[in-house]
Amino acid sequence: STIFYIVPDFLACYPASSHYLKNTPTQLAFFERNIVDSHYYTRTRASTMSTTEAQDPVKSETNKVESVIRSRKERPTGSTHFGDADWDEEQVDEIGDATWGEVAKACCVHDAKEWGKIFVGACGALFFLYFFLFALELLGNSAKVLGGCRAGGLLSDETNPVAGLVIGELATALIQSSSTTTSIIVSLVGADAVSVNSGIYLVMGANIGTSVTNTIVSMGQMADGAQLERAFAGATVHDIFNLLSVAILFPLEVISHYLYHLTNAMLPDSVGDGEKWEGPIKKIVSPFAGRVLKANKDVIKDIATGKVENCDAYYPVLCLDGIEDYKHCASKCDKDAGEEVGVDCGRVGLITCDKTTGCPAFFQNGANLHDDSISGGVCLVLSLFLLIVCLMGLVNVLQRGLAGMSTRIIYKATNVNGLIGIVIGAAITILVQSSSITTSVLTPFVGLGVIQL
C-alpha cells in the first residue's frame, strides 16, 4: 500500500500481485526507490518537452540527432553542414549538387519563429555592414589627411615610366583610394601639369596601390587560421589581378604607346562641363563620415599642379569672425573680384568643411599642420579599431545565420558562371564607385567559405 500511495501514476504499469507483496523489506525499498526515480525522470522529461516534440515526436528525434552530429562522417548522407568540425576538410569536388528547389526551400520556407530570427540577423548584418563601410570611408579620409601633402608632392614630378608606376602605387597607398589618385591624375593631365603618357603609368601604379585595403580587412579574421587563410587568399586575388594586368600592359605601352593612341582616337572634338556622379553608397555613408573627418582633396591637387609649394600655405586655419561653418571657413575667395583671405573668405588646411553637414568634429579654427596630422592619426586608429570590430560582428552574424546549412545549398546559391561573376563585380563597383569597398566586403564571405575562391 505504501508503494501505491507514492506512485499512483504507475498502477497501470505495475499491477499488484502476490509476488510484489511478498518481497522482503530490503527488496521492497529498492523497488520503491527505482520507481520513484522513474517517476521523477518522467515528470522532468514531460515538463521540459517542447510543443514541437509533443506534436511531432519524429521531428523531435531528428532534431536531437542533428544537434549532436557535428561531422559529415556521422551523417548517413555524408553531407557537410556549415559549422561542422570537419568543415575545412571538404574539397570542392566532394560537394554534391543541389537543386534550385532545395535552395528556394532553404531560403523561403520557415515558420514564424525562424522568420523572426532571420529578421533580427539581417538587421544585425546591415548594422555591422553600414559601420564597416563607414570605417572604410573614415580610413580613407584619415589617410588623405596624413599623406595628402606627400602624395601631392609625388604626383607633381614628370618622371620616366617605371618611376611613374611606383609613384602612382605609393600615392594610392598613402591616401588609400585609387579613385582619388586617378581623379587627381586626370586633373593634372587636364591642367597640362603632367603629360598623357606619364598619366597612363601613374594610373597603372594607382591600381596596384589600391590592393592594400582589402589585405588589411583579411587580417581581421586572424582568430581562425582556416578563415584567415581563405580571406587572405581572396584579398590576394585582387592584388594578383592588378599586378598581372600591369605586367602585361606596361611593357606593351612602353614599346608601342598603344593606350595613348587608343585614348587619343576616342577623344571627341569638344568636351562640355558635366556634373560629378556620386554612387548611392557614398551618399549614405559619406555624410556621416564627413561629420567626423573630411579631407581637403584640393590640397593634393594644388601641390601636384604647383599652385603652392607645400602644405604650409594652408595654415593656420582661419574662420571669419571665429564661426566654424562652411561659409566662414571653407568658401573660396574670388581673386578676380579682389577678395582676400581673412577678410572676405576663410582658409582651411588638410581638414575642411562640407556645405551640407558643416565642419567635422575634428575641425579646429586656428589649427596648424601638426594639429591636423594628429587628428588624422587619431581617426586612423579609430577607423582601424572600428573596422576590426564590425568585421568580427559581421562574421559572427553570418556564422550564426548559416549554422547547420548544407554546403550543397550554399555553393549552389553562390556559385555563378565566371562571365556572370565578372559582370556582377563590375556592376557593384560602378554602383559603389570603389573597388576597395567591393573587395573588402567580399573578403569576409570568402573567409567564411560562403563564396568559393
Side-chain angles (χ1 to χ4, degrees), residues 47 78 82 103 114 127 179 185 283 286 309 345 411 424:
S47 64
F82 192 90
V103 174
E114 290 173 340
F127 173 82
S179 301
I185 294 169
K283 290 183 179 180
S286 293
E309 293 183 1
C345 60
Y411 287 163
I424 294 174

Side-chain angles (χ1 to χ4, degrees), residues 7-10 13-14 33-50 53:
V7 284
D9 294 345
F10 286 82
C13 299
Y14 299 96
R33 184 170 60 254
N34 278 274
I35 292 182
V36 172
D37 291 342
S38 300
H39 175 258
Y40 172 78
Y41 171 78
T42 304
R43 289 294 190 190
T44 305
R45 182 73 184 93
S47 64
T48 57
M49 182 181 295
S50 65
E53 294 177 0

Side-chain angles (χ1 to χ4, degrees), residues 99-118:
T99 63
W100 284 109
E102 291 176 311
V103 174
K105 183 177 180 181
C107 174
C108 305
V109 180
H110 303 284
D111 56 27
K113 184 178 180 180
E114 290 173 340
W115 277 117
K117 291 182 179 179
I118 292 173

Side-chain angles (χ1 to χ4, degrees), residues 310-338:
N310 50 51
C311 285
D312 293 333
Y314 293 92
Y315 292 96
V317 174
L318 179 62
C319 294
L320 298 178
D321 301 325
I323 302 174
E324 295 184 1
D325 59 14
Y326 179 83
K327 181 179 179 180
H328 291 82
C329 299
S331 59
K332 296 182 179 180
C333 292
D334 187 356
K335 295 182 179 180
D336 296 335

